[in-house]
Amino acid sequence: MRMTGLDGGVIDVDVGALEARVAGDVLRPGGPGFAEATRIWNALAASTPALVVRPRTAGDVREAVRFAAAHGVLLSIKGGGHNIGGTSLAPGGLTLDMSRMREVEVDPTRRLVRVGPGCLLGDVDRATQRHGLATVLGFVSETGVAGLTLGGGFGYLTRRFGWAVDNLEEVEIVTADGAIRRAAAGEHDDLFWAVRGGGGNFGVVTGFTFRLHPVGPDVVGGLIAWDAGQIEAVLDRVREVAAVAPRELTLGVTIRLGPPSYLLPAEWRGRPVIVVFACHTGDATAAAADLAPLRRLGRPIADALGSIRYTAQQSLFDATQPKGMCNVWRSEFLPGLPDGALDVLAEHGPGMSAPLSQLALMHLAGAIGERDDGATAFGNRDAGWFFAATACWPPDRPELAADRAWVEGAWAAMRPHSTGGNYVNAQAADAGDDRLREAYRGGALERLAAIKAAYDPGNLFRVNRNIAPAPARTPVAAPGA
């Protein structure tokens, strides 16, 4: 079989030995299961591997890693396939599709959950909520736990409990030498520090163990929406509420065209709206008081704030993030919301043209600032807000220059208000080394590179936001390209 090598060249590889040594499925282009295994969220970043292995055990992963290392084959790991940069696929190489390793084991007594690398957020939330427990995950239930966590991870619970990686207790990981290791406090400390935010640079994680917290099964959440003509008033009120919000309350804002949702009146679909979404995991009476200033503002076009299952809150925006769409993202962490930042949102918010495009804000701060910036590879503990400008359109519609220009314009206008840091999971495929340096500040990038050199000196794990020194990074192309 012709495959892409680590040096970007094309090599002939006999894959028969690999097929004989793994219990999981081995998929080839055009064969059963291949199309689904290589379907990812961002169509702009899609590529085609030469071979897909669907491991069932850590032993299968070890065999695939040893095969890729021995033959110098380009290797990638696909968890949920939700990465913006499309780093889950190895063009012309070998992709490990982890979807068969989807077990969730909850220990309610010790408040721990062990999660397989193919799990989606919804898998974990459903299992832990049976015990009234949750860990810090993201906002879209079909996002992969592995990719979210390895890049740092944040969600509705971040203000209370920190980044996702602050709640990671240990990992099982297959490193470039084919060894299966446990990394935790006191055991491979350097590796454990690195995987808490350093991405897939260090190996294939085959198991995550997270700390759990009492949350749910019901919270106060949902959304409230206004005509986009009220942007300034709504943003001012959000800033006021967030300034005094307890850690149990997380607020977010999206400025977009009204989606076809049962939560919005039909006449507002396709028209500019500003939506505030909230999740309050504290006492219901306190939640009502904390959210009252928002509900008193003007005349909302929809008010769907109230008691909601935590699992429903976690999937509230699933419909706005379908797989297979074309997505362009730009983002920053903000220390706060000065008038200038709100002016950017008000000026650029109504200018989107694609139906699923948006400007978004998410309130952070709180627990993330309680640790030293260097406690984990993913620092950014000065982040008060996350900002994103995104354009999204179907692959059968040609990209319009206006879509990209709108994203780039809003991002450029917001950058002066940034902390100087950014979220590595939100970096696009065309992001340069400057974005990596901004994501890993304060010496973190250099420390990651040193740990990478120790555990993966040949840069086997390079289909990612790669932190190896530049000479070790070889551009890759599919065979025949």
Side-chain angles (χ1 to χ4, degrees), residues 145-159:
V145 172
L148 176 105
T149 303
L150 293 174
F154 63 87
Y156 292 115
L157 302 182
T158 289
R159 286 176 42 73

Side-chain angles (χ1 to χ4, degrees), residues 442-465:
L445 184 60
E446 292 75 17
R447 184 176 174 185
L448 284 168
I451 298 170
K452 171 84 165 175
Y455 285 93
D456 184 17
N459 198 19
L460 177 65
F461 301 106
R462 65 178 65 192
V463 185
N464 46 45
R465 297 302 299 151

Side-chain angles (χ1 to χ4, degrees), residues 253-426:
V253 179
T254 177
I255 304 167
R256 53 169 302 146
L257 302 179
S261 168
Y262 71 93
L263 296 175
L264 285 181
E267 64 269 23
W268 282 96
R269 295 171 188 173
R271 296 168 60 184
V273 297
I274 179 167
V275 180
V276 175
F277 50 100
C279 180
H280 199 303
T281 56
D283 175 78
T285 301
D290 292 334
L291 292 168
L294 285 170
R295 307 186 84 167
R296 289 196 299 263
L297 178 63
R299 298 181 62 185
I301 60 176
D303 184 343
L305 291 176
S307 180
I308 185 174
R309 289 282 176 175
Y310 180 70
T311 50
Q313 179 75 26
Q314 284 287 86
S315 58
L316 197 62
F317 293 100
D318 284 8
T320 70
Q321 302 291 318
K323 272 188 176 182
M325 301 288 280
C326 297
N327 289 272
V328 173
W329 279 53
R330 295 291 187 265
S331 66
E332 296 290 328
F333 284 127
L334 312 177
L337 291 180
D339 289 345
L342 298 190
D343 290 343
V344 172
L345 296 167
E347 178 184 350
H348 292 268
M352 79 285 289
S353 58
L356 292 178
S357 298
Q358 62 178 322
L359 296 184
L361 283 175
M362 175 60 64
H363 193 198
L364 297 171
I368 62 173
E370 291 180 344
R371 297 188 180 206
D372 293 337
D373 208 49
T376 54
F378 185 69
N380 289 290
R381 297 181 183 277
D382 54 353
W385 295 82
F386 173 72
F387 161 79
T390 73
C392 178
W393 64 91
D396 58 357
R397 194 204 87 175
E399 178 181 341
L400 298 179
D403 296 329
R404 192 177 291 269
W406 176 74
V407 168
E408 298 289 351
W411 178 51
M414 190 61 81
R415 290 202 74 182
H417 306 289
S418 171
T419 62
N422 69 79
Y423 185 33
V424 70
N425 279 347

Side-chain angles (χ1 to χ4, degrees), residues 89-180:
L89 299 178
L94 170 60
T95 289
L96 287 174
D97 170 20
M98 310 299 284
S99 60
R100 292 293 184 266
M101 299 178 69
R102 207 163 163 175
E103 66 282 351
V104 181
E105 300 172 9
V106 181
D107 184 339
T109 302
R110 298 172 62 205
R111 290 186 178 172
L112 296 173
V113 59
R114 189 180 189 281
V115 178
C119 284
L120 307 181
L121 307 193
D123 298 328
V124 180
D125 286 330
R126 285 188 292 271
T128 60
Q129 279 293 282
R130 295 188 189 106
H131 307 278
L133 299 169
T135 193
V136 178
L137 296 173
F139 311 97
V140 178
S141 71
E142 293 193 355
T143 302
V145 172
L148 176 105
T149 303
L150 293 174
F154 63 87
Y156 292 115
L157 302 182
T158 289
R159 286 176 42 73
R160 288 188 69 182
F161 306 119
W163 301 126
V165 291
D166 292 337
N167 296 271
L168 187 62
E169 295 287 311
E170 66 177 65
V171 298
E172 178 185 83
I173 183 171
V174 180
T175 47
D177 58 359
I180 300 175

